[in-house]
Structures are given as structure tokens and as C-alpha cells.
Amino acid sequence: RINSDGKPAKFQPPPKPVIIDKQKQREERRFLSPEFIPPRGRTDPLKFYIERKDMIQRRKVFNIPEFYVGHILAVTTADPYANEKTNRFVGICIQRGGKGLGATFVLRNVIEDQGVEICYELYSPRIQAIEVLKLEKRLDDNLMYLRDALPEYSTFDMNMKPVSRLEHEEIPVNKLQVRMKPKPWSKRWERPKYNVKGIKFELPEKKMKEAQKWSRPWLEFDMLREYDTSKIEEKIWKEVSEELKK
Amino acid sequence: SITGACGAIQKLTRVRVVDNSSLGNTPYHRPPKCIHVYNKTGVGKVGDTILLAIKGEKKKALIVGHKMPGPTMTPRFDSNNVVLIEDNGNPIGTRIKTPIPYILRQREGEFSKVLAIARNFV
């Protein structure tokens, strides 16, 4: 090879190809639905085992997708009093409650300036389809404060198209700080008991300091309230994944 | 309305009239309040008739949604909604924009005229 000057250029080796071994790098993302984890108590584990078998049976027939609080879902239920016997509702999931077969999730939407919330049971045979329209985790576990927030944060179009998402990627966390309607609110969200991170408090400093009077910092060190679920989760995850693969 | 606590509709609850009747939409210095619930218990749920005091007059109304959570799979509204009705069951307004729960269709015989003017169902 000759340079533009006319002198022979130094030998440059070709760039080495970078091999990304996707098989190894892809860490399996496990998601165990929170209703599988048994609550803390003195009930016989046999009861939870039987419930789990029933839950897995239902999941084999009907696909319940992975979703967290803050996702936008569209649920079609069978309704004898509706046209075409099906009822479709789109909304943001504000809360997931209950354990076992009675697990529920609440969807909220604002239709024609009227806020509507519907509490659905995950394992109810009336539900015909659950579609995840938008995957988005929020800063909190419980979005009940959306009831006192401006209605624009809870409005979602009924005919929203599902947002496409690549698999094996982290679920994005939306760090949205929600603006509230003027006080009074249904609950005093500024108090540390609710531990709300997703609100933009526009209250004076004095009120925020006064709210901290109700903080109980000794609660996190209370040993009697500890409930370590890591080992229980491992066992249940193995059980559930084995059963679902069959 | 300004009530904070969740509860179904009983005497003296402030209600929100949802249809487009003149009686329901003209402003008045007092909000419409419930005076009587036509029920054995004094508590009104979706589909019950109540007596309303609006603008110094007594009018019957039908409850179409309340703030209290009901059975699962039924909608819970952010305000206590009511549709003004005559004694024979005819609605006074001509259109209802706010969503109405499908459960009212169960009693199609009594509420057929109200369901006919409703636009959205939930």
C-alpha cells in the first residue's frame, strides 16, 4: 500500500470482529406474580399448595401476562348485559391486592370527565382477555393518589394501540412526578406512612415538616415485622416454572 | 362534591346530576341533596330511586354510580351520579354523556327509557 505522499504506509491489521454471545449474556429475567407468595401466618401450607395447583391450571388455559402497577391494560370480560356480550375496559393498574385465587387488580381511567375504577379478579372465569398496552413501571407500588391528581394523568384512550416492546429488555421506570388537585385530598399523601415518591408536592415547607412528625423510623428495624420471602420465592418459582413447562 | 369519606347514597348526601336537563344544570346556591331513599335500608346503591331536593323542588332520581366500591367487576365512579326522573320513570333530560354501568340493563323493563338516552356504557 502506498500513501498519498508516495511512501509505503505502516501495516494496519484489520479490526477484530466483536462477538456478542447472546446465549450467555441474556440473564433469565424471572417474574413471579405476587399472588403466589403466601402471606405470613399460621395456616397449613397444604392450603396454599392446592391453591397454587388451581392457579397454574387456570394459567395453562388462559394466558395472564406479566404486569406491574403502572401498566396500561385492556381487559375484555364476558357480560350478559352488554351488546355482543363482551365488555372492554382500558385503564392504568393502580393496585394489585389479594393472594391466591382471589388476587385482584384495580384499573383506573377517566371517561368523559368522570373517573372510573374497576376491580378485576385475575383468576375469574369471566375474564376473556388481558392485553398489556403499555409497559411502564412507576416509582410507587400503589397509585391510589391518582384519584387526587389532575385528571390528565389518568386519561387513556379506549382505542389505544399496544406499544411495541422488545423482549428481554428491562421494564422502563417512569419517574413522572404527578401534580395534584388543591387540598383536601382523600388521604394525606404527604405523610411518611404512605411513602409516596411520585407526587410533586407544591405545599409550603412548614407543612412538609409538620407531616414528618408522623414518621415512625423504628418500624424498619422491627424484627417481629420481618418477612423474608427470598427462599419461599425460590421454591415456588421452581415449582411453578416446572408445572407450566409441562 | 366535597365529601371525603366513601359511602353509598343516603339522606343528605350531595349528588351530581348527570343528564342535560335544565333543572340539573342551572346553578343554584345549594347543591342537590338526597332527602329520601326508596329502599328498606336507607342506603341507595346503583339502580335505586331516591328523592332529591333541587332548587327548592322535590324530584325523583335514579342512582347510576356511587363512590362506594361495590361487587368486583362493577365500576366505581369518582362522584355520586344521578339521573332526574319523573314519577312514572320517564327521564327529564334528553342525553346522558357520562358512562353508565351495564348492570342497569338487568332491569331493562323499568329503566329502558333511561338506557335509551345513555351514550356510553362501562
Side-chain angles (χ1 to χ4, degrees):
Chain A
R1 280 183 182 245
I2 305 171
N3 249 353
S4 44
D5 294 338
K7 296 173 192 173
K10 194 179 169 189
F11 172 68
Q12 298 263 339
K16 278 190 183 166
V18 182
I19 308 165
I20 309 170
D21 196 6
K22 283 185 186 168
Q23 294 282 324
K24 279 187 193 169
Q25 273 194 355
R26 224 195 278 160
E27 273 175 26
E28 241 193 61
R29 205 159 50 81
R30 303 168 160 196
F31 171 71
L32 186 65
S33 228
E35 67 264 7
F36 278 105
I37 303 163
R40 185 178 125 154
R42 286 174 55 187
T43 38
D44 204 328
L46 179 68
K47 179 214 174 200
F48 301 121
Y49 177 68
I50 300 171
E51 256 193 328
R52 256 177 280 144
K53 268 175 71 175
D54 283 333
M55 279 148 75
I56 294 167
Q57 188 63 38
R58 173 71 182 160
R59 279 189 183 235
K60 282 187 189 169
V61 175
F62 172 71
N63 171 42
I64 297 175
E66 165 190 347
F67 70 97
Y68 299 85
V69 166
H71 283 206
I72 300 171
L73 307 175
V75 176
T76 35
T77 48
D79 209 335
Y81 309 114
N83 301 349
E84 294 152 11
K85 310 293 174 195
T86 49
N87 182 4
R88 185 184 145 104
F89 187 72
V90 173
I92 186 168
C93 176
I94 23 176
Q95 182 192 335
R96 279 187 83 161
K99 301 280 180 198
L101 284 169
T104 55
F105 64 101
V106 183
L107 290 185
R108 179 182 164 84
N109 199 347
V110 171
I111 311 174
E112 301 269 351
D113 301 326
Q114 172 70 60
V116 184
E117 290 175 11
I118 311 191
C119 179
Y120 289 105
E121 280 170 357
L122 271 180
Y123 296 97
S124 164
R126 268 174 71 180
I127 298 187
Q128 285 166 349
I130 305 181
E131 304 150 18
V132 179
L133 292 179
K134 195 166 180 198
L135 281 118
E136 202 181 57
K137 260 200 208 182
R138 292 285 190 109
L139 290 165
D140 296 306
D141 240 3
N142 209 316
L143 297 177
M144 285 295 184
Y145 55 80
L146 285 181
R147 288 178 192 170
D148 297 316
L150 297 171
E152 61 191 23
Y153 294 103
S154 319
T155 31
F156 300 101
D157 188 23
M158 284 297 252
N159 308 325
M160 207 165 110
K161 297 234 172 99
V163 170
S164 63
R165 176 214 167 207
L166 301 162
E167 283 186 43
H168 305 292
E169 259 189 19
E170 295 266 342
I171 300 184
V173 178
N174 190 2
K175 303 198 178 169
L176 178 68
Q177 299 262 304
V178 155
R179 288 185 61 201
M180 307 290 275
K181 289 192 221 167
K183 270 205 163 193
W185 299 328
S186 59
K187 300 260 186 244
R188 295 174 214 239
W189 302 110
E190 72 273 10
R191 294 214 175 157
K193 167 179 165 191
Y194 299 105
N195 196 17
V196 153
K197 292 167 206 156
I199 301 185
K200 188 171 182 183
F201 290 110
E202 278 149 16
L203 299 169
E205 282 275 337
K206 209 173 147 191
K207 298 263 176 178
M208 299 300 288
K209 274 194 180 174
E210 213 190 299
Q212 292 299 318
K213 264 203 273 180
W214 278 269
S215 70
R216 293 181 287 181
W218 56 86
L219 273 188
E220 68 171 306
F221 303 110
D222 197 342
M223 292 180 80
L224 286 179
R225 280 174 214 251
E226 275 174 11
Y227 185 38
D228 190 20
T229 49
S230 44
K231 289 180 193 166
I232 307 171
E233 263 192 58
E234 287 279 336
K235 275 194 224 168
I236 297 177
W237 166 257
K238 274 187 210 165
E239 209 186 297
V240 167
S241 49
E242 269 167 55
E243 287 284 327
L244 281 174
K245 275 175 199 169
K246 283 183 196 170
Chain B
S1 51
I2 323 167
T3 11
C6 240
I9 301 184
Q10 56 184 14
K11 288 196 188 186
L12 294 187
T13 40
R14 283 164 289 193
V15 228
R16 178 187 161 205
V17 174
V18 147
D19 55 17
N20 66 345
S21 55
S22 55
L23 200 56
N25 292 26
T26 36
Y28 192 61
H29 59 262
R30 301 187 70 178
K33 275 192 193 169
C34 168
I35 349 174
H36 187 259
V37 181
Y38 292 102
N39 212 345
K40 293 283 184 179
T41 66
V43 179
K45 306 274 181 182
V46 174
D48 288 333
T49 20
I50 57 171
L51 232 203
L52 225 54
I54 308 180
K55 295 185 79 179
E57 300 168 14
K58 290 186 280 191
K59 244 337 186 244
K60 275 204 186 175
L62 173 75
I63 305 177
V64 281
H66 48 69
K67 271 175 122 178
M68 168 132 166
T72 45
M73 309 286 211
T74 49
R76 186 206 86 109
F77 296 87
D78 274 0
S79 62
N80 300 319
N81 297 339
V82 125
V83 172
L84 293 178
I85 229 176
E86 295 272 352
D87 281 334
N88 48 14
N90 296 353
I92 297 174
T94 47
R95 240 172 285 177
I96 303 177
K97 258 174 109 180
T98 43
I100 302 242
Y102 274 114
I103 296 179
L104 285 180
R105 282 213 183 222
Q106 193 176 23
R107 289 191 265 175
E108 189 100 45
E110 299 160 46
F111 308 138
S112 56
K113 289 168 202 171
V114 178
L115 294 166
I117 56 173
R119 290 275 202 82
N120 304 346
F121 281 93
V122 164

